[in-house]
Amino acid sequence: MRMNPRFGEGTTKAALSALTLDGVLRDLSPQDPSFGAMFFKRLDSRTGQVWDGVKYADYGHVVTTPASGESLTDGKFARWFNGKLYAAVETSPAASSALWHVGQFIAPPLDLFAPAVLWAILRETVWPSN
């Protein structure tokens, strides 16, 4: 799988991969049998959502060929949620701040499910701003 360049996250992913490798090298010798597993486990916790996010965004397009065992309906909730979130940032400082911080890898993705953000999404769903 490749990163979709339209999201511009390749450099960020490369930098986070380098930082993760540095941390694992500080903790383990490359000859340690658990070196590879430790590296990929740590890397997934930092960048796994990047891979999933762009894959699910691409699955919203009928011209995308899904990965083996997956379908274009995978990530449907994530696409709906992102649509409402992007609409909510126009009127909600909490949603705007959370999206910016998560997008800059300053905050964990779970911050997008903070009560104030969920309230903004609910408000956008029930009473759309458009």
Side-chain angles (χ1 to χ4, degrees):
M1 184 170 174
R2 300 184 298 270
M3 294 294 291
N4 184 330
R6 73 184 173 123
F7 293 99
E9 296 171 329
T11 303
T12 301
K13 183 158 183 355
L16 288 170
S17 297
L19 290 170
T20 302
L21 178 60
D22 175 68
V24 175
L25 284 169
R26 291 175 189 270
D27 293 342
L28 298 173
S29 163
Q31 288 78 29
D32 188 304
S34 63
F35 182 85
M38 174 71 74
F39 171 75
F40 286 110
K41 181 179 179 182
R42 286 187 187 179
L43 186 62
D44 183 58
S45 72
R46 294 179 173 142
T47 64
Q49 76 276 4
V50 174
W51 292 102
D52 292 341
V54 297
K55 177 174 69 170
Y56 292 149
D58 286 344
Y59 281 10
H61 303 282
V62 296
V63 296
T64 301
T65 302
S68 179
E70 297 183 350
S71 75
L72 294 179
T73 60
D74 290 353
K76 185 176 181 177
F77 173 76
R79 288 188 298 277
W80 174 86
F81 185 87
N82 281 339
K84 295 300 180 183
L85 176 64
Y86 280 100
V89 299
E90 295 179 21
T91 58
S92 169
S96 178
S97 177
L99 181 62
W100 185 85
H101 283 89
V102 170
Q104 299 302 312
F105 293 86
I106 297 170
L110 282 176
D111 281 13
L112 296 175
F113 295 95
V117 176
L118 291 177
W119 171 249
I121 290 171
L122 176 64
R123 193 176 61 234
E124 184 61 36
T125 302
V126 176
W127 303 285
S129 56
N130 296 354

